[in-house]
Amino acid sequence: MRLTLDEEQALLLKTAQRFAREKAPVGRLRAFRDRQDPVGFDPALWGAMVDLGFVGLAIPEAMGGLGLGIFEQCLVLEAIGARLMPEPLLGSAMLAVQTLLFAGESETSRRWLEATASGAAIVSVAWLEPGQRFERSLVRTSAVEVEGGYVLTGRKLHALAGGAAGALIVSARTRGEAAEADGISLFVVEAGARGLEVEPQWRVDGQPAAAIRLDGVAVGPEALIGGLHAGGAALEAAIERATVGLCAEMLGGAVEAFEVTLAYLKERRQFDVPIGSFQALQHRAARLFVELSLTRSAVLAAARAADEGVGLERAASLAKARCAEVFVKVTNEAVQMHGGVGVTDEYDVGLYLKRARAAAVTFGDAAWHRDRWARLGGF
């Protein structure tokens, strides 16, 4: 498995890094937070990302995308993660796009893939429910078949970019008990549907999300994607790949927090010398460097596995367990090494710390993924 970048991939990463560095100052998260922006990101900046092809990277060329892989998508996610960009690349261009792709060919899927690639609409996935935690098959939202379609009832939480979505992909149970993997179906519900309530959520890490309430939402038969009772597999496959994408984003954030801290160690002076000259701080920084290097290897391996289709589940769990622990560790150390000012809102390092904690529990925390990695390995 090759973990190095070819010439085109290196150029893509460099382009994404330059774009994020020049267009997305980390401090803008405070402005979104302070005004409780219902969208939570900059639509103009999202449009620029569409124009650069970042949004349609993994969408087939026939549907307006570039037809590249998860590996390339992860390179861009690493770049935007470094700047804590709230634009919904993970929630829409990764999770929603992969769900539509794995749901199979249909007019509905094609329509929303094309809309995503062109920037005409954002699609969000409403899959997480109250009390569900990390068990993806624990679906209580119901879809009852009626004449002319289906009626959906239930609640969803933390739908990424749900407040700005033109459509929601909703997981609902069409048969079986709440925890059964079989019997889950996927429905595309357009914004503004009668009985659909979308409540923006202001997460601690500044990433936009929404709470969804479906109170007897009626949809036509064309809203069903992935087959009746058979949507669980498509959703599972999409979450698997979105987990890898999240790991890339976390890696970018962890590396940036580390580099910001290194710069601070070189400029902050005590006893007339830079504090970076203190051996104890040098040792702590060196340990973080090693941890980040190992984490990068795990993330790149998971991204390759996603494209090659071999060993993805174990690779994704390994990467997520490492990223969850290392991102939190790096940001903890960053705050410590900044001293008292590290906990103030004036310094960006606190924003990275909040992102680390929220990302660590998204799609499963470190303990859950370590357990899954062991079970998949027969332990």
Side-chain angles (χ1 to χ4, degrees):
M1 180 180 289
R2 184 169 58 86
L3 301 185
T4 56
L5 310 186
D6 61 29
E7 185 176 346
E8 291 184 354
Q9 290 165 344
L11 178 60
L12 174 62
L13 177 59
K14 185 176 181 180
T15 300
Q17 288 173 331
R18 183 171 63 248
F19 173 83
R21 186 171 55 252
E22 293 176 356
K23 303 294 185 181
V26 175
R28 69 196 179 110
L29 285 178
R30 298 185 184 88
F32 290 129
R33 176 200 64 194
D34 293 345
R35 66 172 181 262
Q36 292 195 328
D37 192 299
V39 174
F41 62 89
D42 184 353
L45 196 60
W46 179 251
M49 294 170 71
V50 170
D51 293 340
L52 285 168
F54 294 164
V55 177
L57 273 173
I59 297 175
E61 292 182 76
M63 301 177 191
L66 298 181
L68 298 177
I70 300 298
F71 192 89
E72 287 79 12
Q73 188 81 76
C74 284
L75 296 178
V76 177
L77 283 163
E78 180 184 344
I80 75 164
R83 308 302 293 172
L84 302 182
M85 292 177 65
E87 281 66 33
L89 199 65
L90 178 69
S92 185
M94 178 65 90
L95 180 57
V97 163
Q98 292 300 314
T99 303
L100 290 168
L101 290 174
F102 277 99
E105 180 67 27
S106 70
E107 186 59 37
T108 299
S109 292
R110 173 179 284 273
R111 172 192 172 191
W112 292 105
L113 284 168
E114 291 176 346
T116 301
S118 68
I122 289 171
V123 182
S124 176
V125 182
W127 69 277
L128 186 64
E129 299 192 1
Q132 187 180 33
R133 195 162 170 76
F134 309 134
E135 298 307 320
R136 301 162 188 173
S137 61
L138 190 61
V139 176
R140 296 186 178 90
T141 296
S142 65
V144 178
E145 190 169 6
V146 297
E147 185 178 353
Y150 302 86
V151 174
L152 279 60
T153 303
R155 292 178 59 204
K156 301 289 185 177
L157 299 175
H158 295 286
L160 299 176
L168 297 165
I169 303 172
V170 178
S171 60
R173 184 158 296 283
T174 46
R175 75 176 179 195
E177 300 299 324
E180 292 181 12
D182 184 39
I184 298 172
S185 301
L186 300 175
F187 299 88
V188 177
V189 180
E190 297 191 35
R194 177 175 292 184
L196 175 66
E197 181 182 336
V198 179
E199 179 184 354
Q201 292 178 304
W202 293 277
R203 294 178 17 150
V204 68
D205 62 346
Q207 301 298 307
I212 310 297
R213 184 180 295 276
L214 302 114
D215 186 11
V217 176
V219 296
E222 73 285 350
L224 174 67
I225 60 174
L228 187 63
H229 315 312
L235 180 61
E236 186 77 22
I239 292 175
E240 210 71 69
R241 286 151 181 81
T243 299
V244 178
L246 175 61
C247 288
E249 197 174 300
M250 295 170 75
L251 174 64
V255 170
E256 183 70 13
F258 175 67
E259 292 180 350
V260 166
T261 303
L262 283 186
Y264 184 78
L265 294 179
K266 294 174 182 178
E267 69 181 32
R268 177 75 169 91
R269 300 179 69 85
Q270 285 185 349
F271 309 111
D272 296 324
V273 296
I275 62 174
S277 65
F278 301 156
Q279 191 175 55
L281 295 183
Q282 291 175 356
H283 288 171
R284 289 165 69 178
R287 283 195 295 270
L288 294 180
F289 177 81
V290 172
E291 293 281 5
L292 287 169
S293 297
L294 291 171
T295 302
R296 178 175 295 280
S297 295
V299 173
L300 292 178
R304 288 291 188 200
D307 285 332
E308 295 173 5
V310 178
L312 172 58
E313 291 182 335
R314 291 198 85 201
S317 279
L318 175 61
K320 185 56 165 64
R322 281 211 59 83
C323 285
E325 292 181 335
V326 171
F327 197 5
V328 169
K329 182 176 182 179
V330 168
T331 52
N332 282 349
E333 289 281 47
V335 169
Q336 286 285 320
M337 293 185 194
H338 274 74
V341 297
V343 298
T344 65
D345 194 46
E346 178 184 355
Y347 281 74
D348 289 344
V349 66
L351 299 175
Y352 285 92
L353 183 143
K354 292 175 181 177
R355 178 60 181 147
R357 277 154 176 73
V361 297
T362 301
F363 302 140
D365 62 12
W368 188 86
H369 277 285
R370 280 197 302 268
D371 178 73
R372 191 178 80 144
W373 183 89
R375 283 187 285 105
L376 290 171
F379 293 100

